[in-house]
Amino acid sequence: MISDVRMNRRTFIKASVATAVVPATVAVLAGRSSPGSSRQQLLTASAATPQGKMVTNTSITLNVNGKNYTVPVQPRDTLNDVLRNTIGLTGTKRPCNRCECGGCTVVIDGRNVYSCTFLALRAGGGQKIMTVEGLANGTTPHPLQMAYVKYDAMQCSYCIPGQLMSAYALLTTNNTPTRDQIRQGMSGNICRCGTYAHQMQAIEEAAKVVSGAQPSVVMPPVA
Ligand code: FES
Ligand code: FES
């Protein structure tokens, strides 16, 4: 008889958590779970609605750096989740995960976008996604990358992938930006190390190369 089972909401949740977490914990402690499979199990377990109905996984194709990746996603997965955890492109960082720092910036169809708050499903319609891994041309660094090195425009570098992608988006639409336009184009990207002045110099020189006014970034002679 169902009425004999003294199951209220609190005991139900305790039982559910124990059922879902204990086997996963045992598997991890036993060294049996791969990172991918344990994450998938936990995601699947936590995808149940309060009514017990499972949210259906789906499959999408993302075009990243010119290559198609067909990947499983849940409706709540962000583009950052999929790039980093599913595809393995960890150059895109996730410093704040709340749309405040720009460290997760990627370029979608020429626009800089915070990947931490952009749902992966929205990027599965054939859009061209570019991450920092796609910036270089083979083994030849992009002029922005060369200029960032030349002007020492980085310290810890945590923010730099996102900075580069915003700078790339800026130069894609305007390759002769003024200083004010550079400030505006880079305004959503925070650098906790305060490398802004050097980044300004780097973007100005890279812009000359991208616009054709200068053949390449002039690197200082090696001492
Ligand atoms: S991680 Fe996306 S804005 Fe900070
Ligand atoms: S170089 Fe450290 S946060 Fe920008």
Side-chain angles (χ1 to χ4, degrees):
M1 291 285 292
I2 291 177
S3 58
D4 291 339
V5 180
R6 297 179 185 278
M7 177 83 72
N8 58 25
R9 197 170 75 93
R10 184 178 299 275
T11 53
F12 172 77
I13 290 172
K14 280 182 180 173
S16 301
V17 169
T19 305
V21 172
V22 169
T25 307
V26 169
V28 169
L29 290 175
R32 282 189 276 109
S33 62
S34 69
S37 63
S38 63
R39 177 176 178 275
Q40 191 60 42
Q41 288 160 2
L42 291 172
L43 284 177
T44 305
S46 60
T49 67
Q51 293 77 33
K53 186 179 176 192
M54 300 302 290
V55 175
T56 310
N57 283 356
T58 187
S59 177
I60 59 172
T61 299
L62 298 177
N63 184 288
V64 187
N65 302 327
K67 188 173 169 189
N68 283 336
Y69 297 86
T70 299
V71 289
V73 294
Q74 291 190 349
R76 64 181 178 174
D77 284 342
T78 67
L79 181 57
N80 191 284
D81 290 329
V82 176
L83 288 173
R84 288 180 54 83
N85 301 338
T86 307
I87 297 178
L89 294 174
T90 55
T92 303
K93 304 306 180 202
R94 182 164 46 189
C96 76
N97 203 21
R98 53 190 296 174
C99 222
E100 289 182 352
C101 74
C104 63
T105 302
V106 299
V107 173
I108 301 180
D109 289 341
R111 278 182 47 228
N112 51 342
V113 168
Y114 288 161
S115 66
C116 72
T117 43
F118 193 96
L119 290 175
L121 283 174
R122 287 184 60 203
Q127 295 95 323
K128 307 283 184 216
I129 303 162
M130 188 172 173
T131 69
V132 72
E133 288 92 344
L135 205 48
N137 181 8
T139 56
T140 305
H142 188 277
L144 277 165
Q145 293 170 306
M146 295 292 288
Y148 267 62
V149 171
K150 173 179 177 178
Y151 290 98
D152 200 15
M154 62 199 93
Q155 289 189 33
C156 77
S157 293
Y158 197 22
C159 72
I160 297 301
Q163 304 277 5
L164 286 169
M165 298 319 291
S166 280
Y168 176 84
L170 170 67
L171 297 188
T172 300
T173 54
N174 176 8
N175 59 24
T176 55
T178 63
R179 286 205 151 197
D180 275 350
Q181 288 169 333
I182 293 174
R183 285 190 194 97
Q184 188 171 10
M186 303 296 292
S187 61
N189 290 76
I190 291 170
C191 175
R192 294 155 180 87
C193 298
T195 61
Y196 300 109
H198 288 201
Q199 287 196 58
M200 175 68 76
Q201 293 175 295
I203 295 168
E204 284 182 322
E205 179 156 352
K208 290 179 190 164
V209 178
V210 171
S211 67
Q214 184 176 307
S216 61
V217 174
V218 181
M219 299 300 282
V222 178

